[in-house]
Amino acid sequence: MKLSTRNQLPGSVTAVITGEAIAVVKIALDRGAEITSAITKDAAQDLGLVEGTRVLALIKSTEVALAVD
Amino acid sequence: MKLSTRNQLPGSVTAVITGEAIAVVKIALDRGAEITSAITKDAAQDLGLVEGTRVLALIKSTEVALAVD
Amino acid sequence: MKLSTRNQLPGSVTAVITGEAIAVVKIALDRGAEITSAITKDAAQDLGLVEGTRVLALIKSTEVALAVD
Amino acid sequence: MKLSTRNQLPGSVTAVITGEAIAVVKIALDRGAEITSAITKDAAQDLGLVEGTRVLALIKSTEVALAVD
Amino acid sequence: MKLSTRNQLPGSVTAVITGEAIAVVKIALDRGAEITSAITKDAAQDLGLVEGTRVLALIKSTEVALAVD
Amino acid sequence: MKLSTRNQLPGSVTAVITGEAIAVVKIALDRGAEITSAITKDAAQDLGLVEGTRVLALIKSTEVALAVD
């Protein structure tokens, strides 16, 4: 499967904080930064996300804002 | 200024493709990956984005989907 | 590849309107409705989108608002 | 009221999972697919969403990514 | 029609910048601030947006980030 | 720090509803309207958001839909 999503960053799950409806997932990118993702609890369970799971973080270009100093 | 935005990735602009309404900006992250951002043309001009401009890519956690193999 | 993205709707491309930076893609869903997607021009080209291309429309749950009468 | 939102899919609520802050709503589209929406708990209550409520799922075009095989 | 969208800000269109695929719309809110919206060109045409058109700016809560000094 | 984000609306926090993963924040804009924001619980804690905290609500133009009567 090939995605239109331009930004695909590989990493490993470091934590999953699960609420009633939403789960917040922390990912250590292979390149060294940390990424946070908020998905439905169902999605986190379907993907079997636990500490150490290999994932791609997917970010649509229209969702990336920029800042300059 | 401190942002609620969890994901803030530093890098340098490598290209700005400007349309009538929207600009697509390519960023080489310091950590090594490439990020694409789509913002308004006005925003790209206000920030003075050209090749080499230092930027932070800002991504709200609710915008990050995940994939597993 | 398995996605956290809850909403995955199969269909066929019916039109691609390409600007300088962004492409708007019309999709006839197999179930009968029409979907519009706005992605970068680069993404549309990488996926080789033309009339008739089979696609999945991917929509993160946090992006779905609801209306009632 | 007429919306800029291109994607308006009619259906019926099949489940509402309510957390402290966010509610996840499952909708069976009239066309046959299932859609998941994540909205604030307040919004779910204001709309009076329960199993069987008729809704439109509203999705902005910039939020629709595409995948090809 | 009642929307789950929490943020509905009334105003008047002050400018429409139309590209091939996307239109950027400037709105003067009745309360005094200016809002920019990026929608498809088709949407701008369907709504008949011109200078002076009365609109509601609709913003899903999950799309609102916060900053503190 | 200067942001590409076109829409920056100043106000004061009036309520923070905190779930396990997500916090919903109510803001009274200085101009008079109310805005709701959904961010991660971590973000709300890092920013120290309590009733009365001064904030900017930040909204990317691609996230603003429009409605006409």
Side-chain angles (χ1 to χ4, degrees):
Chain A
M1 187 160 59
K2 195 171 175 183
L3 302 175
S4 66
T5 313
R6 294 292 85 187
N7 304 306
Q8 307 190 15
L9 304 172
S12 295
V13 172
T14 58
V16 182
I17 301 103
T18 307
E20 291 298 313
I22 299 288
V24 167
V25 184
K26 303 282 184 181
I27 300 118
L29 296 183
D30 295 352
R31 299 289 198 168
E34 189 185 62
I35 283 273
T36 302
S37 161
I39 59 179
T40 61
K41 185 176 74 169
D42 283 6
Q45 290 176 341
D46 280 8
L47 296 191
L49 299 181
V50 293
E51 200 184 318
T53 306
R54 295 290 301 161
V55 293
L56 278 178
L58 305 173
I59 304 149
K60 202 170 178 309
S61 302
T62 42
E63 307 300 348
V64 181
L66 297 176
V68 296
D69 256 328
Chain B
M1 188 161 58
K2 195 173 175 182
L3 301 176
S4 64
T5 313
R6 293 294 84 189
N7 304 307
Q8 307 191 15
L9 304 171
S12 296
V13 171
T14 57
V16 182
I17 302 103
T18 306
E20 290 298 314
I22 300 289
V24 168
V25 184
K26 305 280 184 182
I27 300 117
L29 296 183
D30 295 350
R31 299 290 199 170
E34 190 186 63
I35 284 271
T36 302
S37 162
I39 60 180
T40 60
K41 185 176 73 168
D42 283 6
Q45 289 176 340
D46 279 7
L47 296 191
L49 298 182
V50 294
E51 201 184 318
T53 306
R54 296 289 304 162
V55 293
L56 278 177
L58 304 174
I59 306 150
K60 203 170 177 305
S61 302
T62 42
E63 307 301 348
V64 181
L66 297 176
V68 296
D69 257 327
Chain C
M1 187 159 60
K2 195 173 177 183
L3 301 176
S4 65
T5 312
R6 294 294 84 188
N7 304 307
Q8 306 190 17
L9 303 172
S12 296
V13 172
T14 58
V16 183
I17 302 102
T18 306
E20 291 297 315
I22 299 289
V24 167
V25 185
K26 304 280 184 184
I27 300 118
L29 296 183
D30 295 351
R31 300 288 198 170
E34 188 186 64
I35 284 272
T36 301
S37 162
I39 61 180
T40 60
K41 187 177 71 168
D42 283 6
Q45 290 177 339
D46 280 7
L47 296 190
L49 299 181
V50 294
E51 200 183 320
T53 306
R54 295 288 302 161
V55 294
L56 279 177
L58 305 174
I59 305 149
K60 201 168 180 304
S61 302
T62 41
E63 307 300 349
V64 181
L66 298 175
V68 297
D69 258 328
Chain D
M1 188 161 56
K2 194 172 177 184
L3 302 176
S4 65
T5 313
R6 294 293 86 186
N7 304 306
Q8 307 192 14
L9 304 171
S12 295
V13 171
T14 58
V16 182
I17 302 103
T18 306
E20 290 297 315
I22 301 287
V24 168
V25 184
K26 305 281 184 183
I27 301 117
L29 296 183
D30 295 350
R31 300 287 198 169
E34 188 186 66
I35 284 273
T36 302
S37 162
I39 59 179
T40 60
K41 186 177 72 169
D42 282 6
Q45 289 176 341
D46 279 7
L47 296 191
L49 299 181
V50 294
E51 202 183 318
T53 306
R54 295 289 303 160
V55 294
L56 279 178
L58 304 174
I59 304 151
K60 202 170 178 305
S61 302
T62 42
E63 307 301 348
V64 180
L66 297 176
V68 297
D69 257 329
Chain E
M1 189 161 55
K2 194 173 174 183
L3 303 175
S4 65
T5 311
R6 293 294 84 188
N7 303 307
Q8 307 189 15
L9 304 172
S12 296
V13 172
T14 56
V16 182
I17 302 104
T18 307
E20 290 298 313
I22 300 289
V24 167
V25 184
K26 305 281 182 182
I27 300 118
L29 297 183
D30 294 350
R31 298 290 198 169
E34 188 186 64
I35 284 273
T36 302
S37 162
I39 61 179
T40 61
K41 186 177 71 167
D42 282 7
Q45 289 176 341
D46 280 8
L47 297 191
L49 298 181
V50 294
E51 201 184 319
T53 307
R54 294 290 302 161
V55 294
L56 278 178
L58 305 174
I59 304 150
K60 202 170 179 305
S61 302
T62 43
E63 308 300 349
V64 181
L66 297 176
V68 296
D69 257 328
Chain F
M1 188 160 58
K2 195 171 174 183
L3 301 175
S4 65
T5 313
R6 294 292 85 187
N7 304 306
Q8 306 190 16
L9 305 171
S12 296
V13 172
T14 57
V16 183
I17 303 102
T18 307
E20 291 296 316
I22 299 289
V24 167
V25 184
K26 305 281 185 183
I27 300 117
L29 296 183
D30 295 350
R31 299 289 199 169
E34 189 186 63
I35 284 271
T36 303
S37 161
I39 60 179
T40 60
K41 186 177 71 168
D42 282 7
Q45 290 176 339
D46 279 8
L47 296 191
L49 299 182
V50 295
E51 201 184 319
T53 306
R54 296 289 301 163
V55 294
L56 280 178
L58 304 174
I59 305 150
K60 204 171 176 305
S61 302
T62 44
E63 308 300 348
V64 180
L66 297 176
V68 297
D69 254 328

